[in-house]
Amino acid sequence: MTAPDDPADAAAGLGRRVWRRPLAELLRERRGVAATLLWSLAATLPALLSGHLVARALDRGFLRDDLAAGLGWLAVLGAAMVAAAVSARRVPPALGRVVEPLRDRLVRRVVTGTLRRAVGAAPGRPDLSVITRMSEHTETVRDTTAGLLLGLQQVGLTVTAAAVGLALLAPVVALLVVPPVAVTLLLLVLLLPSLAARERASLLAEERVADTVGGIVSDVRDVVACGAEPEAAGEAGDAFRVQAAAERAAARAGALRTALGTAGGQLALVAVLAAGPWLLHSGRLSTGELLGALTYITANLQPALRAAVQTTGGSAVRLGVALHRLESCAGPEPEPAPSPAPRAKVPSDFELRVDGLTFSYGAGAEPVLRDVTFTVPYGSHLAVVGPSGIGKSTLADLLTGVAEPQQGTVSIGGLPLASLDPHWLRRTVAIIPQEAYVFAGSLRENLTYLDPAASAADIEDAVTTLGLGPLRDRLGGNDAAVGSRSGLTPGERQMIALARVWLSPARIVLLDEATCHLDPVAEARMEEAFRARPGTLVVIAHRLSSARRADRILVMDGERTLLGGHDELLRRSGLYADLVGAWQTGRQEEGRPDRRYAAS
């Protein structure tokens, strides 16, 4: 899913509008910004003093045969480096207090804006895969913002400190060095829009390739049946050629950026080396001052220019492109949630009732659900079974208010979902989908996301009850980082998502095949834990064993639904009897019978 793109939109997206909001968000974290700046200033102490200390070590020590004095000045330089190293270690934690809130706010905007757009894009079931893609862009913003701030610290503060130190040590050398360095930095900044445009064109071309090839693969039977292989190959080839051209243009721009950064530092060095003999013979510089000036250039200015190449041409470009994609897909900043309208109500109990529910995707489509009616008393355990594609996940969406029926109502405590206080509904009803989402952060933050006030004892209770102990030990404790790089299996992601909801205040929980990646023993443990927890449990069953654990079972069989106990449904429902028969047969076979003979 790709947002529309045109030149005007691109210009605006890569201009002030794209940067305004994240800059404003960063400024909201004033304490974190101040701490980062202070520690960064301390970390640039060697850049300010290195040339002076090297010059004194030579002129007042080694060149006068005073070994102790020379080593003393170098010891001062070593102490400055140690202090800078200690300060540099404090920069990332301070930076995290700035960047992580930015990431969290962007995630909320992306998910909220994308869901609103997708749900409003009927007919058809909304394609929410864009959330995954935009979440990747959000992580890019988080990572590149941190890298960019660190790079700006090295470039801006280091260049400034080195230039000041050089000007105080040898003003005549500063006149040779500062102009080429300043021109290089200016040219890198001027190249930034061109680099960003090429990087963005490369990204869009890559997305076009993915969309084109994905569409061809999904319709491959129709393509073959119609004999349209040449047309499909031509369309894919065009997309690949556009991507290749965009990649080459981005590579050329990157090569120019690298060459510019290298040339700027080398020109400054060559200028000083060429003028060195004259400066020494004329008495304008001592030997120590010349070596100190070269120290400023080779140890500070040249590394800073290389960092500038990476920062302005790498991190800044990726950040600008990612921000543009987020802006185009997330839409405008969501307005603050209004106070509940007078009609927003809170029910007196939690009985879940479905009356005459009918739903279809599109005006002319056959209803997925037709005239469905049943009641789930508070505190009960309901399992929903039926063939794949029969509408079980659609029913889950309707029960949680994610989708709205064409006919009929879903109510809690006798009040339709549409009339309830949205805040109360979000805290009361929770759904765990098949593909569980794990947030970048610590295990503790993931578990307490829906209940930040959860105590350490609450977390320990959840870990013990749901069997997360081995997973926590493997990760390294409650404060261990989890996310895309922690090597979590799909089953472990489901366990974290299940524990997150188990800790939440939700009183109506729907598991939409939320245990499909767990083995039968772990699945049974999870369901028993939720059953023992206060509230109502609705399970879209992945295995028939889940149905056997439920108080009642809802069988979805195309034109009708049947509700009852296991023995009753064996008599009344041929579909349920067939599912149970296949399941019992599978249990007698070797392998993984519950996965082979599933309830969905």
Side-chain angles (χ1 to χ4, degrees), residues 122-140:
R125 191 177 180 83
D127 176 16
L128 303 182
S129 62
V130 68
I131 293 180
T132 300
R133 186 181 298 169
M134 290 303 108
S135 295
E136 294 175 357
H137 286 308
T138 304
E139 293 302 320
T140 298

Side-chain angles (χ1 to χ4, degrees), residues 369-429:
L369 302 175
R370 188 192 300 273
D371 197 25
V372 177
T373 299
F374 62 90
T375 301
V376 186
Y378 178 64
S380 63
H381 178 186
L382 173 70
V384 181
V385 301
S388 179
I390 203 67
K392 301 187 297 299
S393 293
T394 300
L395 177 62
D397 290 344
L398 292 165
L399 293 180
T400 55
V402 174
E404 296 184 1
Q406 279 82 33
Q407 297 178 16
T409 59
V410 178
S411 59
I412 298 176
L415 300 176
L417 296 187
S419 68
L420 298 179
D421 179 354
H423 178 71
W424 180 90
L425 185 63
R426 287 193 296 271
R427 289 180 54 84
T428 304
V429 181

